[in-house]
Amino acid sequence: MDSQSYKTISANAKTVNKEWLVIDAEGEVLGRLASQVAKILRGKHKPSFTPHVDCGDYVIVVNADKVRLTGKKMTDKVYVRHTGYPGGQRFANPADTLKRKPEFLLQHAVKGMLPKTRLGDALLRNLKIYAGAEHPHTAQNPRTIKLNEIK
């Protein structure tokens, strides 16, 4: 066999095949869901994965308000942010955040699992999170998947 016949094929923006996927987050553990969503956004589930290209799929997550955390994390975990002013440190736990803005929990978890570069910002724009069961992306004909289908 001719060893020169093997070529490494790198994906680029023109050759990437992107599709729309719907994931139901009802009853799913937050971190496990976030890691699977990050893997799909990055494109690591595809054989044509290229590290420096946005080759992942668009992901729509519904029922984000029904996500769960294990142990006592719902009350004991603390999200810290700062307003930028002296004494402006603010604290919130997931229980309060889930009531006010349920999409934030999953978005924050997925963002931490993506690259901290312009590519990571572009990948995060491919994620659409909705608190309820409805989403406005029916025109894209998204395919519903189960998390255990992904390898």
Side-chain angles (χ1 to χ4, degrees), residues 30-31 34-35 38 79 104-114:
L30 177 65
S35 65
Y79 291 113
F104 171 79
L105 288 179
L106 184 60
Q107 183 178 3
H108 184 72
V110 170
K111 184 177 181 178
M113 297 179 187
L114 292 176

Side-chain angles (χ1 to χ4, degrees), residues 20 22 60-62 128 130 132-140 142 144:
W20 287 76
V22 176
I60 304 164
V61 179
V62 293
K128 315 293 182 194
Y130 299 99
E134 300 297 321
H135 63 84
H137 303 286
T138 54
Q140 283 75 23
T144 304

